[in-house]
Amino acid sequence: MKKTILAIATFAILGIANVNAQRDYRPAPAAPQAANPRVDNALEELNINRLDNVVKLSRKQENEIKRIEDRYDRLFRNRRLSQFEYQRLQREKQQDIWSVLTPAQRDRWTAYHHSQRFDNRPYRRG
């Protein structure tokens, strides 16, 4: 019985050492945050205004998007997130904002993004 317990303990200790030896010790990138909440709000306003210029948001939609932005800002601020959690929350945030838009607004936004995809090359010739 003692040999069995000793063997299990040995395998457990060696297994833990092996797992720690393979671990990646790079720190997870922190979620980008503006140090000043006013700057963060100004960036949000800029993004909402850009969206409004393209898809013509109603006042109700603007307020809903601001609420979504504020909710996710609180989530990002109050936790230390891994890269995967941060990306997952970003996708959820985009889906929530996307759900506020009407189908016609979504079509306009995707058309705008498709047209901008090829216009962002600063040194394009011809």
Side-chain angles (χ1 to χ4, degrees), residues 44 47-49 51-52 55 57-72 93 96-101 105:
E44 288 173 6
N47 289 336
I48 292 172
N49 287 339
L51 180 63
D52 184 29
V55 300
L57 296 172
S58 69
R59 191 69 177 149
K60 185 177 177 182
Q61 287 174 322
E62 284 184 32
N63 291 336
E64 183 65 27
I65 291 173
K66 285 178 187 176
R67 262 189 251 120
I68 291 169
E69 291 276 353
D70 291 340
R71 184 177 68 223
Y72 280 98
K93 177 180 167 184
D96 288 347
I97 291 173
W98 194 254
S99 68
V100 172
L101 301 177
Q105 289 173 328

Side-chain angles (χ1 to χ4, degrees), residues 1-12:
M1 183 71 179
K2 288 183 183 178
K3 289 182 180 180
T4 306
I5 293 173
L6 185 61
I8 292 172
T10 304
F11 285 123

Side-chain angles (χ1 to χ4, degrees), residues 1-96:
M1 183 71 179
K2 288 183 183 178
K3 289 182 180 180
T4 306
I5 293 173
L6 185 61
I8 292 172
T10 304
F11 285 123
I13 290 172
L14 292 176
I16 291 171
N18 190 18
V19 169
N20 286 334
Q22 295 176 2
R23 178 183 258 162
D24 186 13
Y25 285 104
R26 285 181 285 157
Q33 296 178 356
N36 188 347
R38 286 191 211 164
V39 172
D40 186 43
N41 288 339
L43 290 173
E44 288 173 6
E45 285 293 325
L46 180 68
N47 289 336
I48 292 172
N49 287 339
R50 185 180 316 140
L51 180 63
D52 184 29
N53 289 338
V54 175
V55 300
K56 307 298 183 221
L57 296 172
S58 69
R59 191 69 177 149
K60 185 177 177 182
Q61 287 174 322
E62 284 184 32
N63 291 336
E64 183 65 27
I65 291 173
K66 285 178 187 176
R67 262 189 251 120
I68 291 169
E69 291 276 353
D70 291 340
R71 184 177 68 223
Y72 280 98
D73 282 346
R74 283 192 302 274
L75 285 174
F76 290 141
R77 188 178 328 118
N78 293 335
R79 295 192 221 171
R80 178 164 171 83
L81 301 170
S82 70
Q83 181 180 7
F84 298 110
E85 291 172 333
Y86 178 74
Q87 289 174 352
R88 181 183 55 82
L89 282 176
Q90 283 288 11
R91 281 192 304 271
E92 288 177 10
K93 177 180 167 184
Q94 290 301 320
Q95 288 173 350
D96 288 347

